[in-house]
Amino acid sequence: MAKQRVFSGIRPTGRIHIGNFLGAVQNYVKLQDEYESVYCIVDVHALTTLEDTSNLQQNIMEMALDMLAAGIDPKKSILFVQSHVPEVMELFTLLGMVTPLSWLMRVPTFKEKARQQPENVNYGLVGYPVLMTADIILYKAEVVPVGEDQLPHLELAREIVRRFNDKFGPTFPEPEARLTQFPTIIGLDGKEKMSKSLGNFLEVSATPEETRKKIGAAVTDVTRIRRTDFGHPQMCNVYSLRKYFTQDVLDDLTVACTTAKIGCVECKKQLAEGINRALGPVRERRAEIAKDPAYIRDVLADGAKRAQALARPTLEEVKKKMGLE
Ligand code: SF4
């Protein structure tokens, strides 16, 4: 039986952090064997929020490098840059003709972004879910790995697909969500989702020493003031991170924390060592691949070629159905 096709886009924010790694990239690596995988570095989406684009090319290369180091295999997956397949812009425009503005105005992330950047509420920002839909359906992807926070976007994509199919006849599969195993990773501030813009992140490519320093400064259970206070693992983000990196000793840690047998300083040291152990092989691969930037460019060029071969017939079909050809 033919494999289903999975699509996912990731913003070119440069080097990936452990939130990206646990929440998305590690999952991409697993999905490669199960699905025909199409992974896209979405540079056009980045323009909706970026004021300064001078680092964009460098960020794309860093992200591709990190994805390859994490285990994305170009023989199994198509890895490419969104703008290298310009057919997506055409489909974006055409889908705009079947998408009511009211659907876009009610998207929670649009309202949030408009609040965050009131001086730059651009047309691309409101159209973001339409471009995201174009990204997915241009390749007729059937499955999209998403975190829970992205479910409303995917539902909107499904609504756009239904509307298109109703109007012009069955054309696209309705993409299904595949929830990632690690939906949301909270940042080292212990409050918000890990993100570059909030500065609460740890890069996968950090050195062991940088890792120790950053984890050493991470916020723990804020109710634990003195070393002798009993800790509350369920209120501690360091504990949440230890679930991923030092899982084997978690039961002992729960007891030690709740009885104050371990202090937060020691606990964070153990987490940092766990991260360094777990990411060691990825960091080594990264250093190897980084020696050959031409290889990364070749992977992306080949990915764009393969993606375009899927995109062209879809766009032809859409144009015919919409009466443009
Ligand atoms: S000992 Fe560890 S799990 Fe317990 S509060 Fe401190 S950092 Fe958190």
Side-chain angles (χ1 to χ4, degrees), residues 220-221 224 231-233 236 238-239 253 257 262-264 267-268:
T220 63
D221 168 11
R224 195 175 182 198
H232 305 86
C236 177
V238 168
Y239 184 83
L253 172 65
C257 171
I262 186 172
C264 294
C267 182
K268 289 195 276 189

Side-chain angles (χ1 to χ4, degrees), residues 147-172:
E148 266 175 79
D149 56 335
Q150 293 159 320
L151 277 175
H153 276 155
L154 191 66
E155 194 40 52
L156 183 49
R158 288 162 58 84
E159 280 183 77
I160 296 172
V161 165
R162 280 198 288 273
R163 197 170 165 105
F164 188 96
N165 287 347
D166 280 351
K167 228 172 149 146
F168 299 107
T171 309
F172 298 109

Side-chain angles (χ1 to χ4, degrees), residues 175-191:
E176 301 278 345
R178 174 161 166 155
L179 274 181
T180 61
Q181 218 181 334
F182 305 106
T184 304
I185 304 299
I186 301 297
L188 302 181
D189 58 0
K191 286 189 207 144

Side-chain angles (χ1 to χ4, degrees), residues 27-259:
N27 194 41
Y28 291 175
V29 175
K30 277 194 215 127
L31 296 177
Q32 293 183 118
D33 294 318
E34 215 180 309
Y35 295 96
E36 187 188 335
S37 307
V38 181
Y39 298 135
C40 179
I41 300 176
V42 290
D43 55 346
V44 182
H45 280 294
L47 297 180
T48 59
T49 51
L50 271 189
E51 288 291 334
D52 176 11
T53 58
S54 55
N55 289 331
L56 191 53
Q57 289 309 309
Q58 193 193 334
N59 285 348
I60 290 169
M61 287 294 280
E62 295 271 14
M63 177 147 274
L65 167 57
D66 273 350
M67 290 176 78
L68 293 169
I72 298 295
D73 179 351
K75 289 195 196 79
K76 292 183 189 166
S77 299
I78 299 179
L79 176 65
F80 71 107
V81 178
Q82 186 183 26
S83 67
H84 295 180
V85 182
E87 283 79 0
V88 77
M89 317 294 184
E90 225 174 312
L91 184 59
F92 168 48
T93 304
L94 297 174
L95 291 180
M97 310 307 167
V98 298
T99 309
L101 190 56
S102 58
W103 290 5
L104 301 174
M105 300 300 285
R106 69 172 195 230
V107 173
T109 42
F110 167 67
K111 291 185 192 160
E112 192 186 312
K113 290 274 183 237
R115 252 197 321 273
Q116 282 169 358
Q117 52 183 62
E119 70 303 329
N120 185 19
V121 184
N122 56 68
Y123 170 63
L125 202 58
V126 74
Y128 183 100
V130 184
L131 180 56
M132 194 193 91
T133 306
D135 282 325
I136 300 166
I137 67 177
L138 184 59
Y139 308 104
K140 297 204 173 178
E142 289 130 324
V143 178
V144 182
V146 286
E148 266 175 79
D149 56 335
Q150 293 159 320
L151 277 175
H153 276 155
L154 191 66
E155 194 40 52
L156 183 49
R158 288 162 58 84
E159 280 183 77
I160 296 172
V161 165
R162 280 198 288 273
R163 197 170 165 105
F164 188 96
N165 287 347
D166 280 351
K167 228 172 149 146
F168 299 107
T171 309
F172 298 109
E174 272 184 49
E176 301 278 345
R178 174 161 166 155
L179 274 181
T180 61
Q181 218 181 334
F182 305 106
T184 304
I185 304 299
I186 301 297
L188 302 181
D189 58 0
K191 286 189 207 144
E192 310 254 10
K193 186 174 168 179
M194 188 172 284
S195 113
K196 281 275 177 91
S197 55
L198 295 172
N200 59 1
F201 62 93
L202 172 71
E203 284 172 347
V204 169
S205 56
T207 63
E209 200 37 51
E210 284 163 354
T211 303
R212 287 182 200 109
K213 213 167 145 199
K214 277 213 155 185
I215 295 297
V219 174
T220 63
D221 168 11
V222 289
T223 66
R224 195 175 182 198
I225 314 289
R226 291 174 299 264
R227 166 67 182 79
T228 49
D229 291 343
F230 293 166
H232 305 86
Q234 72 281 10
M235 291 165 64
C236 177
N237 188 45
V238 168
Y239 184 83
S240 306
L241 290 172
R242 290 200 59 162
K243 284 185 201 160
Y244 304 121
F245 293 106
T246 60
Q247 214 168 16
D248 48 331
V249 294
L250 212 59
D251 288 345
D252 293 346
L253 172 65
T254 310
V255 175
C257 171
T258 51
T259 55

